[in-house]
Amino acid sequence: GSIVTKPKLLILEDFQLGLDKESKLELLSRLMSKEFGNTFIFVSNDEDIMKQCDKTIILKDGQIVASGAYTTIKNDPRFENLI
């Protein structure tokens, strides 16, 4: 339903539950195709999703503790304890 109406913003929380890794990556690739021009907010601790996003924000107790590209924040020593 929602994607068919071509919304400009979609918020998805753990949408990939139950999908194998190959199916999840294929779905992410299709969803995030630049041809659609959508903005997505993913609520997830899945590193595969973080890798596909332009920006990753890590929250702890409702506060932002890390923000930036996945390749940058994954090197933060607190990263493993936060996801």
Side-chain angles (χ1 to χ4, degrees):
S2 325
I3 297 174
V4 175
T5 61
K6 298 182 182 177
K8 293 187 186 284
L9 173 68
L10 280 171
I11 300 172
L12 303 168
E13 181 177 4
D14 288 326
F15 77 97
Q16 80 286 1
L17 293 176
L19 293 177
D20 61 71
K21 185 170 182 143
E22 184 179 326
S23 297
K24 175 179 60 177
L25 293 175
E26 175 66 25
L27 180 57
L28 277 171
S29 175
R30 288 178 187 228
L31 282 175
M32 298 178 77
S33 170
K34 299 295 182 197
E35 72 182 88
F36 296 112
N38 301 42
T39 298
F40 290 92
I41 297 174
F42 292 100
V43 179
S44 179
N45 64 349
D46 186 314
E47 288 187 68
D48 289 327
I49 292 174
M50 291 181 215
K51 290 174 186 175
Q52 298 296 316
C53 294
D54 296 330
K55 184 174 187 178
T56 298
I57 298 171
I58 306 290
L59 299 172
K60 181 176 182 182
D61 300 325
Q63 301 295 315
I64 296 174
V65 294
S67 176
Y70 171 80
T71 54
T72 302
I73 65 167
K74 75 174 183 159
N75 296 319
D76 185 314
R78 302 169 296 169
F79 181 75
E80 288 298 321
N81 295 326
L82 294 172
I83 62 165

PDB file of all heavy atoms in Angstrom, residues 2-41:
ATOM      1  N   SER A   2       1.568   1.601   1.032  1.00  0.00           N
ATOM      2  CA  SER A   2       2.139   2.938   1.157  1.00  0.00           C
ATOM      3  C   SER A   2       3.098   3.292   0.043  1.00  0.00           C
ATOM      4  O   SER A   2       3.145   4.423  -0.391  1.00  0.00           O
ATOM      5  CB  SER A   2       2.927   3.109   2.450  1.00  0.00           C
ATOM      6  OG  SER A   2       2.407   2.441   3.508  1.00  0.00           O
ATOM      7  N   ILE A   3       3.904   2.363  -0.388  1.00  0.00           N
ATOM      8  CA  ILE A   3       4.918   2.656  -1.396  1.00  0.00           C
ATOM      9  C   ILE A   3       4.277   2.940  -2.751  1.00  0.00           C
ATOM     10  O   ILE A   3       4.771   3.753  -3.514  1.00  0.00           O
ATOM     11  CB  ILE A   3       5.947   1.516  -1.477  1.00  0.00           C
ATOM     12  CG1 ILE A   3       6.679   1.414  -0.138  1.00  0.00           C
ATOM     13  CG2 ILE A   3       6.929   1.725  -2.604  1.00  0.00           C
ATOM     14  CD1 ILE A   3       7.615   0.265  -0.020  1.00  0.00           C
ATOM     15  N   VAL A   4       3.159   2.319  -3.026  1.00  0.00           N
ATOM     16  CA  VAL A   4       2.480   2.500  -4.308  1.00  0.00           C
ATOM     17  C   VAL A   4       2.038   3.945  -4.510  1.00  0.00           C
ATOM     18  O   VAL A   4       2.050   4.451  -5.622  1.00  0.00           O
ATOM     19  CB  VAL A   4       1.266   1.541  -4.412  1.00  0.00           C
ATOM     20  CG1 VAL A   4       0.467   1.792  -5.665  1.00  0.00           C
ATOM     21  CG2 VAL A   4       1.732   0.096  -4.357  1.00  0.00           C
ATOM     22  N   THR A   5       1.694   4.643  -3.434  1.00  0.00           N
ATOM     23  CA  THR A   5       1.221   6.024  -3.546  1.00  0.00           C
ATOM     24  C   THR A   5       2.363   7.024  -3.676  1.00  0.00           C
ATOM     25  O   THR A   5       2.128   8.223  -3.742  1.00  0.00           O
ATOM     26  CB  THR A   5       0.349   6.404  -2.332  1.00  0.00           C
ATOM     27  OG1 THR A   5       1.139   6.305  -1.138  1.00  0.00           O
ATOM     28  CG2 THR A   5      -0.873   5.526  -2.230  1.00  0.00           C
ATOM     29  N   LYS A   6       3.605   6.537  -3.694  1.00  0.00           N
ATOM     30  CA  LYS A   6       4.823   7.339  -3.880  1.00  0.00           C
ATOM     31  C   LYS A   6       4.961   8.471  -2.860  1.00  0.00           C
ATOM     32  O   LYS A   6       5.077   9.641  -3.220  1.00  0.00           O
ATOM     33  CB  LYS A   6       4.893   7.883  -5.304  1.00  0.00           C
ATOM     34  CG  LYS A   6       4.952   6.788  -6.338  1.00  0.00           C
ATOM     35  CD  LYS A   6       5.072   7.345  -7.728  1.00  0.00           C
ATOM     36  CE  LYS A   6       5.079   6.182  -8.709  1.00  0.00           C
ATOM     37  NZ  LYS A   6       5.129   6.587 -10.072  1.00  0.00           N
ATOM     38  N   PRO A   7       4.993   8.127  -1.576  1.00  0.00           N
ATOM     39  CA  PRO A   7       5.174   9.165  -0.567  1.00  0.00           C
ATOM     40  C   PRO A   7       6.595   9.718  -0.617  1.00  0.00           C
ATOM     41  O   PRO A   7       7.512   9.046  -1.076  1.00  0.00           O
ATOM     42  CB  PRO A   7       4.940   8.415   0.747  1.00  0.00           C
ATOM     43  CG  PRO A   7       5.343   7.013   0.425  1.00  0.00           C
ATOM     44  CD  PRO A   7       4.928   6.801  -1.007  1.00  0.00           C
ATOM     45  N   LYS A   8       6.769  10.927  -0.153  1.00  0.00           N
ATOM     46  CA  LYS A   8       8.104  11.532  -0.134  1.00  0.00           C
ATOM     47  C   LYS A   8       8.913  11.046   1.063  1.00  0.00           C
ATOM     48  O   LYS A   8      10.129  11.057   1.037  1.00  0.00           O
ATOM     49  CB  LYS A   8       7.988  13.050  -0.113  1.00  0.00           C
ATOM     50  CG  LYS A   8       7.418  13.605  -1.401  1.00  0.00           C
ATOM     51  CD  LYS A   8       7.471  15.118  -1.394  1.00  0.00           C
ATOM     52  CE  LYS A   8       6.795  15.700  -2.593  1.00  0.00           C
ATOM     53  NZ  LYS A   8       7.510  15.628  -3.809  1.00  0.00           N
ATOM     54  N   LEU A   9       8.248  10.616   2.146  1.00  0.00           N
ATOM     55  CA  LEU A   9       8.918  10.166   3.351  1.00  0.00           C
ATOM     56  C   LEU A   9       8.284   8.873   3.837  1.00  0.00           C
ATOM     57  O   LEU A   9       7.065   8.780   3.941  1.00  0.00           O
ATOM     58  CB  LEU A   9       8.821  11.225   4.463  1.00  0.00           C
ATOM     59  CG  LEU A   9       9.334  10.821   5.839  1.00  0.00           C
ATOM     60  CD1 LEU A   9      10.850  10.641   5.822  1.00  0.00           C
ATOM     61  CD2 LEU A   9       8.941  11.860   6.876  1.00  0.00           C
ATOM     62  N   LEU A  10       9.124   7.882   4.138  1.00  0.00           N
ATOM     63  CA  LEU A  10       8.658   6.619   4.726  1.00  0.00           C
ATOM     64  C   LEU A  10       9.503   6.333   5.955  1.00  0.00           C
ATOM     65  O   LEU A  10      10.725   6.466   5.919  1.00  0.00           O
ATOM     66  CB  LEU A  10       8.816   5.458   3.749  1.00  0.00           C
ATOM     67  CG  LEU A  10       7.753   5.314   2.687  1.00  0.00           C
ATOM     68  CD1 LEU A  10       8.167   4.265   1.658  1.00  0.00           C
ATOM     69  CD2 LEU A  10       6.426   4.915   3.297  1.00  0.00           C
ATOM     70  N   ILE A  11       8.850   5.943   7.046  1.00  0.00           N
ATOM     71  CA  ILE A  11       9.552   5.529   8.257  1.00  0.00           C
ATOM     72  C   ILE A  11       9.278   4.038   8.419  1.00  0.00           C
ATOM     73  O   ILE A  11       8.122   3.620   8.509  1.00  0.00           O
ATOM     74  CB  ILE A  11       9.060   6.320   9.485  1.00  0.00           C
ATOM     75  CG1 ILE A  11       9.300   7.814   9.263  1.00  0.00           C
ATOM     76  CG2 ILE A  11       9.752   5.827  10.753  1.00  0.00           C
ATOM     77  CD1 ILE A  11       8.685   8.710  10.315  1.00  0.00           C
ATOM     78  N   LEU A  12      10.349   3.253   8.439  1.00  0.00           N
ATOM     79  CA  LEU A  12      10.224   1.803   8.523  1.00  0.00           C
ATOM     80  C   LEU A  12      10.974   1.283   9.740  1.00  0.00           C
ATOM     81  O   LEU A  12      12.150   1.588   9.927  1.00  0.00           O
ATOM     82  CB  LEU A  12      10.795   1.150   7.260  1.00  0.00           C
ATOM     83  CG  LEU A  12      10.168   1.598   5.945  1.00  0.00           C
ATOM     84  CD1 LEU A  12      10.997   1.118   4.767  1.00  0.00           C
ATOM     85  CD2 LEU A  12       8.758   1.069   5.841  1.00  0.00           C
ATOM     86  N   GLU A  13      10.296   0.483  10.558  1.00  0.00           N
ATOM     87  CA  GLU A  13      10.928  -0.083  11.746  1.00  0.00           C
ATOM     88  C   GLU A  13      11.042  -1.586  11.580  1.00  0.00           C
ATOM     89  O   GLU A  13      10.039  -2.283  11.436  1.00  0.00           O
ATOM     90  CB  GLU A  13      10.115   0.241  12.996  1.00  0.00           C
ATOM     91  CG  GLU A  13      10.743  -0.316  14.247  1.00  0.00           C
ATOM     92  CD  GLU A  13       9.987   0.063  15.512  1.00  0.00           C
ATOM     93  OE1 GLU A  13       8.932   0.701  15.423  1.00  0.00           O
ATOM     94  OE2 GLU A  13      10.461  -0.293  16.576  1.00  0.00           O
ATOM     95  N   ASP A  14      12.263  -2.079  11.571  1.00  0.00           N
ATOM     96  CA  ASP A  14      12.561  -3.507  11.457  1.00  0.00           C
ATOM     97  C   ASP A  14      11.701  -4.212  10.406  1.00  0.00           C
ATOM     98  O   ASP A  14      11.176  -5.289  10.627  1.00  0.00           O
ATOM     99  CB  ASP A  14      12.417  -4.198  12.817  1.00  0.00           C
ATOM    100  CG  ASP A  14      13.553  -3.826  13.749  1.00  0.00           C
ATOM    101  OD1 ASP A  14      14.680  -3.637  13.262  1.00  0.00           O
ATOM    102  OD2 ASP A  14      13.312  -3.729  14.962  1.00  0.00           O
ATOM    103  N   PHE A  15      11.565  -3.568   9.241  1.00  0.00           N
ATOM    104  CA  PHE A  15      10.744  -4.110   8.159  1.00  0.00           C
ATOM    105  C   PHE A  15      11.286  -5.425   7.621  1.00  0.00           C
ATOM    106  O   PHE A  15      10.568  -6.203   7.017  1.00  0.00           O
ATOM    107  CB  PHE A  15      10.632  -3.108   7.007  1.00  0.00           C
ATOM    108  CG  PHE A  15      11.877  -3.052   6.155  1.00  0.00           C
ATOM    109  CD1 PHE A  15      11.944  -3.774   4.984  1.00  0.00           C
ATOM    110  CD2 PHE A  15      12.974  -2.322   6.561  1.00  0.00           C
ATOM    111  CE1 PHE A  15      13.095  -3.747   4.214  1.00  0.00           C
ATOM    112  CE2 PHE A  15      14.120  -2.290   5.797  1.00  0.00           C
ATOM    113  CZ  PHE A  15      14.187  -3.001   4.626  1.00  0.00           C
ATOM    114  N   GLN A  16      12.559  -5.687   7.805  1.00  0.00           N
ATOM    115  CA  GLN A  16      13.222  -6.825   7.194  1.00  0.00           C
ATOM    116  C   GLN A  16      13.097  -8.111   7.998  1.00  0.00           C
ATOM    117  O   GLN A  16      13.636  -9.136   7.596  1.00  0.00           O
ATOM    118  CB  GLN A  16      14.693  -6.499   6.933  1.00  0.00           C
ATOM    119  CG  GLN A  16      15.608  -6.602   8.138  1.00  0.00           C
ATOM    120  CD  GLN A  16      15.489  -5.489   9.151  1.00  0.00           C
ATOM    121  OE1 GLN A  16      14.695  -4.582   9.017  1.00  0.00           O
ATOM    122  NE2 GLN A  16      16.271  -5.555  10.203  1.00  0.00           N
ATOM    123  N   LEU A  17      12.412  -8.086   9.119  1.00  0.00           N
ATOM    124  CA  LEU A  17      12.311  -9.282   9.951  1.00  0.00           C
ATOM    125  C   LEU A  17      11.749 -10.444   9.139  1.00  0.00           C
ATOM    126  O   LEU A  17      10.761 -10.315   8.432  1.00  0.00           O
ATOM    127  CB  LEU A  17      11.429  -9.024  11.171  1.00  0.00           C
ATOM    128  CG  LEU A  17      11.990  -8.030  12.183  1.00  0.00           C
ATOM    129  CD1 LEU A  17      10.985  -7.783  13.299  1.00  0.00           C
ATOM    130  CD2 LEU A  17      13.304  -8.507  12.758  1.00  0.00           C
ATOM    131  N   GLY A  18      12.417 -11.566   9.214  1.00  0.00           N
ATOM    132  CA  GLY A  18      11.959 -12.756   8.504  1.00  0.00           C
ATOM    133  C   GLY A  18      12.530 -12.910   7.108  1.00  0.00           C
ATOM    134  O   GLY A  18      12.317 -13.929   6.469  1.00  0.00           O
ATOM    135  N   LEU A  19      13.239 -11.914   6.608  1.00  0.00           N
ATOM    136  CA  LEU A  19      13.843 -12.013   5.278  1.00  0.00           C
ATOM    137  C   LEU A  19      15.261 -12.551   5.384  1.00  0.00           C
ATOM    138  O   LEU A  19      15.999 -12.189   6.295  1.00  0.00           O
ATOM    139  CB  LEU A  19      13.906 -10.633   4.604  1.00  0.00           C
ATOM    140  CG  LEU A  19      12.607  -9.956   4.216  1.00  0.00           C
ATOM    141  CD1 LEU A  19      12.899  -8.572   3.638  1.00  0.00           C
ATOM    142  CD2 LEU A  19      11.844 -10.787   3.210  1.00  0.00           C
ATOM    143  N   ASP A  20      15.636 -13.387   4.435  1.00  0.00           N
ATOM    144  CA  ASP A  20      17.030 -13.810   4.390  1.00  0.00           C
ATOM    145  C   ASP A  20      17.866 -12.632   3.895  1.00  0.00           C
ATOM    146  O   ASP A  20      17.339 -11.655   3.363  1.00  0.00           O
ATOM    147  CB  ASP A  20      17.213 -15.048   3.501  1.00  0.00           C
ATOM    148  CG  ASP A  20      16.801 -14.798   2.063  1.00  0.00           C
ATOM    149  OD1 ASP A  20      17.526 -14.059   1.361  1.00  0.00           O
ATOM    150  OD2 ASP A  20      15.760 -15.334   1.632  1.00  0.00           O
ATOM    151  N   LYS A  21      19.176 -12.706   4.106  1.00  0.00           N
ATOM    152  CA  LYS A  21      20.051 -11.579   3.796  1.00  0.00           C
ATOM    153  C   LYS A  21      19.955 -11.160   2.335  1.00  0.00           C
ATOM    154  O   LYS A  21      19.871  -9.973   2.022  1.00  0.00           O
ATOM    155  CB  LYS A  21      21.499 -11.915   4.147  1.00  0.00           C
ATOM    156  CG  LYS A  21      22.434 -10.736   3.957  1.00  0.00           C
ATOM    157  CD  LYS A  21      23.806 -11.011   4.529  1.00  0.00           C
ATOM    158  CE  LYS A  21      24.663  -9.789   4.352  1.00  0.00           C
ATOM    159  NZ  LYS A  21      25.561  -9.536   5.441  1.00  0.00           N
ATOM    160  N   GLU A  22      19.931 -12.103   1.410  1.00  0.00           N
ATOM    161  CA  GLU A  22      19.857 -11.779  -0.020  1.00  0.00           C
ATOM    162  C   GLU A  22      18.567 -11.027  -0.353  1.00  0.00           C
ATOM    163  O   GLU A  22      18.595 -10.018  -1.060  1.00  0.00           O
ATOM    164  CB  GLU A  22      19.947 -13.061  -0.850  1.00  0.00           C
ATOM    165  CG  GLU A  22      19.971 -12.818  -2.332  1.00  0.00           C
ATOM    166  CD  GLU A  22      20.083 -14.113  -3.134  1.00  0.00           C
ATOM    167  OE1 GLU A  22      20.741 -15.060  -2.672  1.00  0.00           O
ATOM    168  OE2 GLU A  22      19.497 -14.156  -4.231  1.00  0.00           O
ATOM    169  N   SER A  23      17.442 -11.491   0.173  1.00  0.00           N
ATOM    170  CA  SER A  23      16.156 -10.827  -0.078  1.00  0.00           C
ATOM    171  C   SER A  23      16.129  -9.438   0.537  1.00  0.00           C
ATOM    172  O   SER A  23      15.621  -8.485  -0.057  1.00  0.00           O
ATOM    173  CB  SER A  23      15.004 -11.657   0.487  1.00  0.00           C
ATOM    174  OG  SER A  23      14.931 -12.907  -0.153  1.00  0.00           O
ATOM    175  N   LYS A  24      16.685  -9.308   1.751  1.00  0.00           N
ATOM    176  CA  LYS A  24      16.732  -8.016   2.427  1.00  0.00           C
ATOM    177  C   LYS A  24      17.544  -7.014   1.615  1.00  0.00           C
ATOM    178  O   LYS A  24      17.108  -5.883   1.399  1.00  0.00           O
ATOM    179  CB  LYS A  24      17.338  -8.184   3.819  1.00  0.00           C
ATOM    180  CG  LYS A  24      17.551  -6.880   4.551  1.00  0.00           C
ATOM    181  CD  LYS A  24      18.138  -7.079   5.935  1.00  0.00           C
ATOM    182  CE  LYS A  24      19.479  -7.760   5.864  1.00  0.00           C
ATOM    183  NZ  LYS A  24      20.131  -7.923   7.161  1.00  0.00           N
ATOM    184  N   LEU A  25      18.713  -7.429   1.123  1.00  0.00           N
ATOM    185  CA  LEU A  25      19.561  -6.522   0.345  1.00  0.00           C
ATOM    186  C   LEU A  25      18.908  -6.140  -0.980  1.00  0.00           C
ATOM    187  O   LEU A  25      19.014  -4.996  -1.420  1.00  0.00           O
ATOM    188  CB  LEU A  25      20.937  -7.151   0.119  1.00  0.00           C
ATOM    189  CG  LEU A  25      21.792  -7.316   1.382  1.00  0.00           C
ATOM    190  CD1 LEU A  25      23.086  -8.051   1.062  1.00  0.00           C
ATOM    191  CD2 LEU A  25      22.069  -5.988   2.050  1.00  0.00           C
ATOM    192  N   GLU A  26      18.205  -7.078  -1.600  1.00  0.00           N
ATOM    193  CA  GLU A  26      17.489  -6.782  -2.848  1.00  0.00           C
ATOM    194  C   GLU A  26      16.373  -5.770  -2.589  1.00  0.00           C
ATOM    195  O   GLU A  26      16.197  -4.815  -3.346  1.00  0.00           O
ATOM    196  CB  GLU A  26      16.912  -8.067  -3.445  1.00  0.00           C
ATOM    197  CG  GLU A  26      16.055  -7.852  -4.668  1.00  0.00           C
ATOM    198  CD  GLU A  26      16.809  -7.318  -5.877  1.00  0.00           C
ATOM    199  OE1 GLU A  26      18.032  -7.538  -5.977  1.00  0.00           O
ATOM    200  OE2 GLU A  26      16.159  -6.676  -6.732  1.00  0.00           O
ATOM    201  N   LEU A  27      15.620  -5.966  -1.514  1.00  0.00           N
ATOM    202  CA  LEU A  27      14.542  -5.039  -1.168  1.00  0.00           C
ATOM    203  C   LEU A  27      15.106  -3.647  -0.863  1.00  0.00           C
ATOM    204  O   LEU A  27      14.580  -2.639  -1.338  1.00  0.00           O
ATOM    205  CB  LEU A  27      13.750  -5.564   0.028  1.00  0.00           C
ATOM    206  CG  LEU A  27      12.594  -4.703   0.514  1.00  0.00           C
ATOM    207  CD1 LEU A  27      11.584  -4.440  -0.592  1.00  0.00           C
ATOM    208  CD2 LEU A  27      11.925  -5.350   1.708  1.00  0.00           C
ATOM    209  N   LEU A  28      16.195  -3.580  -0.103  1.00  0.00           N
ATOM    210  CA  LEU A  28      16.829  -2.289   0.187  1.00  0.00           C
ATOM    211  C   LEU A  28      17.268  -1.596  -1.088  1.00  0.00           C
ATOM    212  O   LEU A  28      17.071  -0.391  -1.253  1.00  0.00           O
ATOM    213  CB  LEU A  28      18.049  -2.488   1.091  1.00  0.00           C
ATOM    214  CG  LEU A  28      17.787  -2.608   2.576  1.00  0.00           C
ATOM    215  CD1 LEU A  28      19.064  -3.010   3.303  1.00  0.00           C
ATOM    216  CD2 LEU A  28      17.247  -1.315   3.133  1.00  0.00           C
ATOM    217  N   SER A  29      17.870  -2.347  -1.993  1.00  0.00           N
ATOM    218  CA  SER A  29      18.339  -1.780  -3.260  1.00  0.00           C
ATOM    219  C   SER A  29      17.183  -1.172  -4.045  1.00  0.00           C
ATOM    220  O   SER A  29      17.298  -0.069  -4.572  1.00  0.00           O
ATOM    221  CB  SER A  29      19.034  -2.870  -4.074  1.00  0.00           C
ATOM    222  OG  SER A  29      19.387  -2.393  -5.342  1.00  0.00           O
ATOM    223  N   ARG A  30      16.079  -1.866  -4.099  1.00  0.00           N
ATOM    224  CA  ARG A  30      14.913  -1.359  -4.835  1.00  0.00           C
ATOM    225  C   ARG A  30      14.292  -0.148  -4.143  1.00  0.00           C
ATOM    226  O   ARG A  30      13.947   0.842  -4.784  1.00  0.00           O
ATOM    227  CB  ARG A  30      13.867  -2.452  -4.999  1.00  0.00           C
ATOM    228  CG  ARG A  30      14.285  -3.505  -5.977  1.00  0.00           C
ATOM    229  CD  ARG A  30      13.254  -4.589  -6.085  1.00  0.00           C
ATOM    230  NE  ARG A  30      13.743  -5.672  -6.901  1.00  0.00           N
ATOM    231  CZ  ARG A  30      13.051  -6.221  -7.870  1.00  0.00           C
ATOM    232  NH1 ARG A  30      11.835  -5.798  -8.134  1.00  0.00           N
ATOM    233  NH2 ARG A  30      13.561  -7.204  -8.572  1.00  0.00           N
ATOM    234  N   LEU A  31      14.148  -0.244  -2.826  1.00  0.00           N
ATOM    235  CA  LEU A  31      13.545   0.865  -2.071  1.00  0.00           C
ATOM    236  C   LEU A  31      14.359   2.141  -2.200  1.00  0.00           C
ATOM    237  O   LEU A  31      13.813   3.231  -2.340  1.00  0.00           O
ATOM    238  CB  LEU A  31      13.442   0.510  -0.588  1.00  0.00           C
ATOM    239  CG  LEU A  31      12.326  -0.404  -0.143  1.00  0.00           C
ATOM    240  CD1 LEU A  31      12.474  -0.728   1.340  1.00  0.00           C
ATOM    241  CD2 LEU A  31      10.964   0.207  -0.414  1.00  0.00           C
ATOM    242  N   MET A  32      15.677   2.003  -2.152  1.00  0.00           N
ATOM    243  CA  MET A  32      16.544   3.172  -2.086  1.00  0.00           C
ATOM    244  C   MET A  32      17.046   3.637  -3.446  1.00  0.00           C
ATOM    245  O   MET A  32      17.909   4.505  -3.530  1.00  0.00           O
ATOM    246  CB  MET A  32      17.689   2.894  -1.129  1.00  0.00           C
ATOM    247  CG  MET A  32      17.152   2.628   0.284  1.00  0.00           C
ATOM    248  SD  MET A  32      18.406   2.235   1.468  1.00  0.00           S
ATOM    249  CE  MET A  32      19.064   3.862   1.768  1.00  0.00           C
ATOM    250  N   SER A  33      16.473   3.113  -4.497  1.00  0.00           N
ATOM    251  CA  SER A  33      16.836   3.533  -5.837  1.00  0.00           C
ATOM    252  C   SER A  33      16.589   5.036  -5.991  1.00  0.00           C
ATOM    253  O   SER A  33      15.545   5.554  -5.601  1.00  0.00           O
ATOM    254  CB  SER A  33      16.003   2.765  -6.862  1.00  0.00           C
ATOM    255  OG  SER A  33      16.173   3.304  -8.142  1.00  0.00           O
ATOM    256  N   LYS A  34      17.551   5.739  -6.535  1.00  0.00           N
ATOM    257  CA  LYS A  34      17.448   7.197  -6.696  1.00  0.00           C
ATOM    258  C   LYS A  34      16.316   7.599  -7.633  1.00  0.00           C
ATOM    259  O   LYS A  34      15.841   8.724  -7.598  1.00  0.00           O
ATOM    260  CB  LYS A  34      18.780   7.771  -7.211  1.00  0.00           C
ATOM    261  CG  LYS A  34      19.943   7.539  -6.274  1.00  0.00           C
ATOM    262  CD  LYS A  34      19.769   8.261  -4.958  1.00  0.00           C
ATOM    263  CE  LYS A  34      20.988   8.035  -4.094  1.00  0.00           C
ATOM    264  NZ  LYS A  34      20.776   8.341  -2.706  1.00  0.00           N
ATOM    265  N   GLU A  35      15.849   6.683  -8.468  1.00  0.00           N
ATOM    266  CA  GLU A  35      14.782   7.016  -9.409  1.00  0.00           C
ATOM    267  C   GLU A  35      13.476   7.388  -8.718  1.00  0.00           C
ATOM    268  O   GLU A  35      12.663   8.115  -9.261  1.00  0.00           O
ATOM    269  CB  GLU A  35      14.543   5.875 -10.405  1.00  0.00           C
ATOM    270  CG  GLU A  35      13.867   4.657  -9.802  1.00  0.00           C
ATOM    271  CD  GLU A  35      13.699   3.531 -10.793  1.00  0.00           C
ATOM    272  OE1 GLU A  35      14.625   2.721 -10.919  1.00  0.00           O
ATOM    273  OE2 GLU A  35      12.629   3.471 -11.432  1.00  0.00           O
ATOM    274  N   PHE A  36      13.275   6.913  -7.495  1.00  0.00           N
ATOM    275  CA  PHE A  36      12.036   7.204  -6.787  1.00  0.00           C
ATOM    276  C   PHE A  36      12.105   8.506  -6.008  1.00  0.00           C
ATOM    277  O   PHE A  36      11.101   9.147  -5.775  1.00  0.00           O
ATOM    278  CB  PHE A  36      11.658   6.054  -5.854  1.00  0.00           C
ATOM    279  CG  PHE A  36      11.349   4.787  -6.594  1.00  0.00           C
ATOM    280  CD1 PHE A  36      12.182   3.684  -6.480  1.00  0.00           C
ATOM    281  CD2 PHE A  36      10.257   4.703  -7.430  1.00  0.00           C
ATOM    282  CE1 PHE A  36      11.909   2.522  -7.178  1.00  0.00           C
ATOM    283  CE2 PHE A  36       9.979   3.551  -8.136  1.00  0.00           C
ATOM    284  CZ  PHE A  36      10.814   2.461  -8.008  1.00  0.00           C
ATOM    285  N   GLY A  37      13.279   8.914  -5.579  1.00  0.00           N
ATOM    286  CA  GLY A  37      13.450  10.181  -4.872  1.00  0.00           C
ATOM    287  C   GLY A  37      12.793  10.235  -3.505  1.00  0.00           C
ATOM    288  O   GLY A  37      12.461  11.306  -3.027  1.00  0.00           O
ATOM    289  N   ASN A  38      12.582   9.090  -2.877  1.00  0.00           N
ATOM    290  CA  ASN A  38      11.969   9.050  -1.554  1.00  0.00           C
ATOM    291  C   ASN A  38      13.018   9.273  -0.472  1.00  0.00           C
ATOM    292  O   ASN A  38      14.190   9.023  -0.666  1.00  0.00           O
ATOM    293  CB  ASN A  38      11.324   7.687  -1.293  1.00  0.00           C
ATOM    294  CG  ASN A  38      10.258   7.334  -2.289  1.00  0.00           C
ATOM    295  OD1 ASN A  38      10.412   7.566  -3.473  1.00  0.00           O
ATOM    296  ND2 ASN A  38       9.184   6.759  -1.837  1.00  0.00           N
ATOM    297  N   THR A  39      12.558   9.715   0.691  1.00  0.00           N
ATOM    298  CA  THR A  39      13.391   9.790   1.879  1.00  0.00           C
ATOM    299  C   THR A  39      12.908   8.712   2.833  1.00  0.00           C
ATOM    300  O   THR A  39      11.709   8.578   3.070  1.00  0.00           O
ATOM    301  CB  THR A  39      13.261  11.170   2.549  1.00  0.00           C
ATOM    302  OG1 THR A  39      13.719  12.158   1.628  1.00  0.00           O
ATOM    303  CG2 THR A  39      14.077  11.240   3.832  1.00  0.00           C
ATOM    304  N   PHE A  40      13.861   7.933   3.352  1.00  0.00           N
ATOM    305  CA  PHE A  40      13.523   6.860   4.274  1.00  0.00           C
ATOM    306  C   PHE A  40      14.172   7.109   5.612  1.00  0.00           C
ATOM    307  O   PHE A  40      15.319   7.570   5.687  1.00  0.00           O
ATOM    308  CB  PHE A  40      14.033   5.503   3.759  1.00  0.00           C
ATOM    309  CG  PHE A  40      13.293   5.009   2.566  1.00  0.00           C
ATOM    310  CD1 PHE A  40      13.745   5.300   1.291  1.00  0.00           C
ATOM    311  CD2 PHE A  40      12.155   4.245   2.710  1.00  0.00           C
ATOM    312  CE1 PHE A  40      13.070   4.844   0.177  1.00  0.00           C
ATOM    313  CE2 PHE A  40      11.465   3.795   1.603  1.00  0.00           C
ATOM    314  CZ  PHE A  40      11.917   4.090   0.334  1.00  0.00           C
ATOM    315  N   ILE A  41      13.439   6.794   6.663  1.00  0.00           N
ATOM    316  CA  ILE A  41      14.005   6.735   8.001  1.00  0.00           C
ATOM    317  C   ILE A  41      13.817   5.292   8.441  1.00  0.00           C
ATOM    318  O   ILE A  41      12.687   4.803   8.532  1.00  0.00           O
ATOM    319  CB  ILE A  41      13.299   7.701   8.970  1.00  0.00           C
ATOM    320  CG1 ILE A  41      13.508   9.144   8.512  1.00  0.00           C
ATOM    321  CG2 ILE A  41      13.809   7.485  10.401  1.00  0.00           C
ATOM    322  CD1 ILE A  41      12.740  10.164   9.327  1.00  0.00           C
TER     323      ILE A  41
END
